Amino acid sequence: MYPVSYHKPASVDDAVKALSSGEEAMVLAGGQTLIATMKQHLAAPSDLVDIRGIAELSGIKISGDTLSIGAAMTHAEVAASKDVQKHIPALACLAAGIGDPAVRHMGTLGGSVANNDPAADYPAALLALGATVVTNKREIAADDFFTGLFSTDLEDGEIITRVDFDKTEAAGYAKFAQPASLYALVGVFVAKRGGDVRVAITGAGDDGVFRSEALEAALAKDFSEAAAKGAGVSADNLMSDIHGDADYRAHLIRVMAARAVAGAA
Amino acid sequence: MTKVSLTVNGKPVARDVAGGTLLSEFLREDLRLTGTHIGCDTSQCGACVVHVNGKAVKACTTLAASLEGADVTTIEGLANGGLHPMQEAFKEHHGLQCGFCTPGMIMSGVDMVTRYKAEGRELTQEAIRHELEGNICRCTGYHNIVKAVEDAASKM
Ligand SMILES: Cc1cc2nc3c(=O)[nH]c(=O)nc-3n(C[C@H](O)[C@H](O)[C@H](O)COP(=O)(O)OP(=O)(O)OC[C@H]3O[C@@H](n4cnc5c(N)ncnc54)[C@H](O)[C@@H]3O)c2cc1C
Ligand code: FES
Ligand code: FES
């Protein structure tokens, strides 16, 4: 790792200042992705601005039909939250399945979303639930936030403060984990609000997380396992790598979608 | 350099550390606590697991500079007079061969037992295997590690 200066501001304003004063300053959250990236010299920030000391970024709140989760909340905290378990149980379940216990004790919602790894779990939840990413500058709809492999709509120096999720009638998540990395080989999140069904797929897309029109149409008509299994999911624009080719992933998408529907609550 | 004051195995420690110093380096090189092992240095193997404020974390993926005021426990801090019940159980059930992964296995074992007890959940064999996903052992085949954790859970 190259030399780096460490900062731990107590407010969003101080964090923004620290980010703009460093030559190439970066936000540090749980470090579960960034530290490994720095060791490999794939990232070489001059300064790290640790956002875990900022009170505004922590906490989980429900107001009306909206569940708000602070960006610095760890996967373990989200998984264990009674509010999340009650409001959107699939989200608690998703957080409980990220990586391993030590990763869940450190990794955060904001870090996962900002990183937008094509095989990460949270991006599928945000996209299917139509969540809103709130930053120090603005609110960004999930549909506009994820812009491709490891890329998002965030600007330089912009900090995610929380993510807002609206209640659903039913939501479910199923992931086929790549057994060595524990990331999703295919993960499918389904969310139903009345006749509207949104389905987001992670781990499989050539260009990162995406919504499946075929599954959304099939499940809007008939929200059932059979409909998910029978949907015409195409292998176009799906990833092929040593873990599985595009056809295999297309098949897994149907199977995981059926499991997500079966577990939806 | 960042000045950090923290508690390691019950003792206060204050040091100036470089921003990029990993907790694993800090423990092994600055404090000479070499019980925390480095297997992969890429967050995969769990040999470096220690407790920070009572929670299992990978020391190779934690910055020492971020631990102002933290309470760190390493494998050296577990035995209190006699061996900890988890250490005793690993010995009893032959939960190790070369022993390289053992400090991390034991720290993860203590973490999961404490967590499940606090949440009132039953730590079944299946749950133990699932909880050990971040700890890799090249020798034992895991069976005796799972037995050891199960046995220690009944004694902790
Ligand atoms: C062994 C292992 C297994 C894993 N398995 C999974 C898995 O199964 N599924 C999964 O989804 N993930 C997995 N992960 C990744 C894990 O969830 C990470 O915690 C996550 O991707 C990054 O979160 P972090 O808080 O650690 O962020 P960091 O590593 O600190 O930061 C990541 C990036 O996000 C930026 N950032 C962080 N917070 C903010 C913010 N609030 N605003 C703006 N930018 C920000 C940083 O600048 C950096 O670019 C795994 C990681 C490991 C090491
Ligand atoms: S050395 Fe830290 S996980 Fe392997
Ligand atoms: S006992 Fe040798 S690696 Fe586990």
Side-chain angles (χ1 to χ4, degrees):
Chain A
M1 193 185 297
Y2 293 117
V4 64
S5 303
Y6 174 85
H7 311 268
K8 195 167 186 181
S11 71
V12 172
D13 284 349
D14 287 348
V16 170
K17 259 181 234 148
L19 282 171
S20 61
S21 59
E23 207 171 301
E24 205 181 310
M26 280 181 86
V27 172
L28 172 73
Q32 300 303 291
T33 295
L34 185 52
I35 293 175
T37 317
M38 288 169 65
K39 286 182 188 177
Q40 295 167 72
H41 293 179
L42 294 172
S46 58
D47 297 78
L48 286 177
V49 181
D50 188 338
I51 46 107
R52 289 171 293 182
I54 306 174
E56 195 186 324
L57 269 59
S58 69
I60 296 176
K61 274 197 304 273
I62 291 181
S63 48
D65 271 347
T66 307
L67 170 73
S68 300
I69 305 181
M73 295 308 281
T74 64
H75 308 328
E77 288 166 335
V78 172
S81 159
K82 296 274 176 283
D83 282 341
V84 180
Q85 287 169 5
K86 192 169 148 240
H87 212 72
I88 310 179
L91 199 56
C93 180
L94 173 149
I98 296 178
D100 59 55
V103 168
R104 293 195 288 274
H105 282 148
M106 293 290 268
T108 66
L109 169 63
S112 175
V113 169
N115 196 52
N116 193 17
D117 188 296
D121 297 297
Y122 270 126
L126 268 69
L127 196 56
L129 290 166
T132 306
V133 178
V134 182
T135 76
N136 59 317
K137 294 184 178 164
R138 58 194 168 128
E139 300 195 348
I140 312 166
D143 280 310
D144 303 322
F145 183 83
F146 301 106
T147 54
L149 300 180
F150 297 102
S151 87
T152 67
D153 195 44
L154 286 176
E155 291 162 8
D156 276 351
E158 190 169 8
I159 300 170
I160 302 175
T161 55
R162 60 167 210 269
V163 180
D164 289 346
F165 299 90
D166 283 341
K167 212 178 184 141
T168 54
E169 190 184 318
Y173 182 64
K175 129 162 142 173
F176 190 92
Q178 203 284 325
S181 77
L182 308 175
Y183 279 86
L185 189 60
V186 166
V188 180
F189 202 107
V190 300
K192 175 172 159 54
R193 283 190 191 92
D196 181 36
V197 177
R198 288 171 62 113
V199 180
I201 319 281
T202 186
D206 243 350
D207 198 29
V209 67
F210 67 97
R211 284 172 63 185
S212 163
E213 281 166 28
L215 276 164
E216 289 184 355
L219 291 174
K221 233 185 265 159
D222 174 17
F223 195 73
S224 72
E225 288 177 67
K229 279 202 185 119
V233 176
S234 133
D236 292 349
N237 304 319
L238 295 188
M239 225 189 301
S240 281
D241 59 18
I242 52 165
H243 306 303
D245 63 15
D247 285 330
Y248 178 60
R249 280 188 162 87
H251 175 72
L252 267 187
I253 288 173
R254 286 191 292 268
V255 176
M256 290 302 118
R259 287 187 194 172
V261 169
Chain B
M1 291 295 225
T2 304
K3 189 173 166 51
V4 280
S5 308
L6 65 164
T7 306
V8 178
N9 298 333
K11 295 196 197 88
V13 175
R15 288 280 198 291
D16 281 324
V17 296
T21 303
L22 302 168
L23 175 58
S24 50
E25 294 169 343
F26 179 72
L27 292 170
R28 292 179 56 86
E29 288 161 32
D30 291 4
L31 305 185
R32 295 283 162 191
L33 292 172
T34 54
T36 298
H37 289 174
I38 300 172
C40 63
D41 208 21
T42 57
S43 333
Q44 311 293 319
C45 77
C48 66
V49 169
V50 299
H51 296 175
V52 173
N53 300 327
K55 289 177 186 155
V57 306
K58 290 173 178 173
C60 76
T61 315
T62 303
L63 296 181
S66 71
L67 296 178
E68 176 63 32
D71 189 0
V72 176
T73 306
T74 70
I75 188 73
E76 288 93 341
L78 219 50
N80 189 1
L83 289 179
H84 185 280
M86 189 62 72
Q87 293 171 310
E88 199 63 68
F90 268 69
K91 186 173 152 213
E92 186 64 30
H93 293 275
H94 202 70
L96 61 148
Q97 287 179 25
C98 79
F100 194 86
C101 69
T102 314
M105 288 289 178
I106 288 180
M107 297 313 280
S108 289
V110 173
D111 172 76
M112 74 177 82
V113 172
T114 319
R115 204 157 17 89
Y116 272 64
K117 282 205 184 308
E119 291 168 7
R121 285 198 287 162
E122 193 198 346
L123 188 61
T124 58
Q125 279 225 6
E126 196 190 339
I128 295 170
R129 286 178 190 279
H130 188 62
E131 288 284 330
L132 283 175
E133 241 157 27
N135 291 80
I136 293 173
C137 175
R138 305 314 307 255
C139 307
T140 62
Y142 301 98
H143 290 300
N144 290 351
I145 292 175
V146 176
K147 274 191 218 154
V149 175
E150 205 178 17
D151 184 26
S154 69
K155 294 176 179 150
M156 274 171 68

